[in-house]
Amino acid sequence: MKISIRTGIFSIIGPGFSVMIATLTIMAMLGSGAAFMRIGVIGSASYELMLAGIAADVLGIELTSANITTGVFILVLYAMILGSAPYFINCFFSLKPMERSLIKNKSIEGSFAKIVGFIASIALIGYFAIDNARKGKVEAIVMFITGGITILLSMYAEKSKKKGRNHGAQFSTGIFK
């Protein structure tokens, strides 16, 4: 019970805090209406703020300027909305077939969801690892050391079989068993 409560608390704080910071940032730049409209949908606050800045720059106005007119504000909002359109189009075409595949292959070991989740995790970690390794020797060394420590801890957790402590090891190594 304690582990579940602790896990729940920490899994709520991180995402909640990041959404709060994104909302405050958009509120400071575009107002509360735009912030609550954009935070409630799929999209990245930094990506949408970048699009808003580009839209304002095209008209020769800085996004943080007090000279923003109603027309510029509407253009900025459209830029933010259209920037998220590919996410919605993708969801429209891909979610239903993916749901059918998940239901169909639910009982199969090494199913579609497990493999895609594993590949997505490896791709994301790989992307950030390569990006950090390119920054310099110190970053590359730190990346390899933390990667090695992660592998060693995963192996230890899998061997120890202690309840509640090897969830990551089960995810990372138990997919293709």
Side-chain angles (χ1 to χ4, degrees), residues 34-55:
F36 289 113
M37 178 185 76
R38 296 313 305 151
I39 294 298
V41 298
I42 296 173
S44 166
S46 60
Y47 173 70
E48 290 188 358
L49 282 173
M50 178 191 70
L51 290 175
I54 290 170

Side-chain angles (χ1 to χ4, degrees), residues 15-31:
F17 190 70
S18 65
V19 169
M20 183 184 71
I21 295 297
T23 303
L24 292 175
T25 304
I26 295 176
M27 282 175 74
M29 297 184 96
L30 298 170

Side-chain angles (χ1 to χ4, degrees), residues 21 29 36 46 48 56 59 65 73 102 108 134 143 170:
I21 295 297
M29 297 184 96
F36 289 113
S46 60
E48 290 188 358
L59 297 176
S65 167
F73 184 69
L102 290 173
I108 300 173
R134 290 182 182 171
M143 182 204 56
Q170 288 175 347

Side-chain angles (χ1 to χ4, degrees), residues 153-169:
L153 288 174
S154 179
M155 291 168 41
Y156 171 75
E158 191 171 320
K159 286 182 181 178
S160 69
K161 302 286 185 198
K162 291 182 180 176
K163 185 178 178 184
R165 301 195 187 227
N166 61 349
H167 297 297

